[in-house]
Amino acid sequence: MAASLQRIGIVICRTFPVILQRNIQAQRIRDWKISAPVLHLNFRALSSPSSSSSADDTDSAEVLSRYSDRPWEYLESEEYIERYGSKPVWSNYRRNHKGGVPPQKTRKTCIRGDKICGNPCPICRDPNIIVHYKNVNLLQQFISPQTGIVHDPTRTGVCMKQQKLLNKAIETARDCGLLSVQLPHVDYSKEDYSNTHGAVAPTPAPFSLSSGELWYPWYGSIKPDERELARVKRIYKDYLKPDV
């Protein structure tokens, strides 16, 4: 009797996990059939914004392609005049900083990968503004007309990355003659470039030497070391003329 009960227990223990696993699989199938239409609806809902974002990307690419080759044309367009007027691009820009006193330096960059800061600088906020050495009208907005010195980024609010590009473009434009360079006036006198004043004297003419006379008088008073002279003669004895 005990043996038969033991066999029945073993059979039940072996079949119970199989039954439980089948029930779990059936329940998963029922849940998937119920949630399948909802997933399809969510996928369609999610696919529509991506299509709209791709359309926006194409539009932005078209906008950039208009001025990427000739960025100076943007400053003459109606879009630029309507947005900035006759003022520089940085005139109405206000920096966001903590406290009442602005920091001594602007941020390093406004765009890090795909992330854009909340208040980008005057150049980074407008994708149509491209720093180029031929874009003279843009470069002149960042140069003081009185002194010819480039404005400090703490005044214009430009980030340090764009400021480096501006400095390089301005230097290249000046080298190419597209921007004027103000050189300091230096007074000079003609005496600095003449040979008639006291600091400059004509070179004396060489005097004529007679036979046996040395060019330097002090050269005849020099007496070489006898041992050193004998060593040199032994080295070059094959090349020296015999004494007559």
Side-chain angles (χ1 to χ4, degrees):
M1 185 68 180
S4 61
L5 292 175
Q6 186 177 2
R7 291 177 181 176
I8 293 171
I10 293 172
V11 172
I12 292 172
C13 291
R14 290 178 178 177
T15 55
F16 182 78
V18 178
I19 297 171
L20 182 60
Q21 186 176 5
R22 290 178 180 176
N23 293 334
I24 292 173
Q25 290 179 355
Q27 184 66 27
R28 287 180 179 177
I29 292 171
R30 288 194 296 269
D31 296 340
W32 181 80
K33 289 181 179 180
I34 294 172
S35 60
V38 179
L39 293 175
H40 286 296
L41 291 174
N42 292 336
F43 178 75
R44 291 175 182 175
L46 291 174
S47 63
S48 58
S50 62
S51 61
S52 61
S53 62
S54 62
D56 296 339
D57 294 340
T58 54
D59 294 341
S60 61
E62 291 177 357
V63 172
L64 290 176
S65 63
R66 290 187 299 170
Y67 305 107
S68 60
D69 297 334
R70 305 173 67 86
W72 50 88
E73 292 183 354
Y74 174 64
L75 277 74
E76 301 175 356
S77 62
E78 297 180 358
E79 180 183 359
Y80 175 84
I81 296 173
E82 182 179 357
R83 183 170 183 177
Y84 300 102
S86 59
K87 297 180 179 180
V89 295
W90 53 268
S91 60
N92 296 327
Y93 178 76
R94 295 295 178 269
R95 296 171 58 189
N96 53 350
H97 55 83
K98 186 177 181 181
V101 180
Q104 297 299 320
K105 290 184 179 181
T106 57
R107 65 174 67 92
K108 292 183 178 180
T109 180
C110 300
I111 303 173
R112 297 180 182 273
D114 297 336
K115 296 182 180 180
I116 304 176
C117 65
N119 186 23
C121 71
I123 297 179
C124 294
R125 67 180 177 179
D126 194 347
N128 293 326
I129 296 179
I130 301 174
V131 178
H132 195 272
Y133 75 96
K134 292 184 180 180
N135 198 356
V136 180
N137 294 332
L138 177 65
L139 300 180
Q140 287 177 346
Q141 297 179 4
F142 294 89
I143 300 175
S144 175
Q146 289 79 20
T147 61
I149 301 174
V150 182
H151 288 307
D152 195 81
T154 55
R155 179 180 181 183
T156 59
V158 178
C159 64
M160 301 306 297
K161 181 179 179 180
Q162 296 293 343
Q163 185 67 27
K164 291 180 181 179
L165 295 177
L166 280 171
N167 294 336
K168 186 176 181 180
I170 291 172
E171 183 179 357
T172 306
R174 285 175 174 174
D175 292 341
C176 296
L178 301 177
L179 288 175
S180 60
V181 182
Q182 296 183 1
L183 300 177
H185 178 71
V186 179
D187 294 331
Y188 66 94
S189 60
K190 294 182 180 180
E191 295 181 356
D192 297 337
Y193 300 93
S194 64
N195 57 356
T196 57
H197 56 88
V200 178
T203 304
F207 57 90
S208 59
L209 297 175
S210 60
S211 61
E213 186 179 1
L214 300 176
W215 180 271
Y216 299 104
W218 51 266
Y219 191 78
S221 62
I222 298 177
K223 294 182 179 181
D225 189 4
E226 296 295 336
R227 291 181 297 178
E228 186 68 19
L229 182 60
R231 186 181 67 85
V232 173
K233 286 182 177 181
R234 285 196 304 268
I235 295 174
Y236 299 100
K237 64 181 179 178
D238 297 335
Y239 302 98
L240 296 176
K241 295 181 180 180
D243 297 334
V244 178

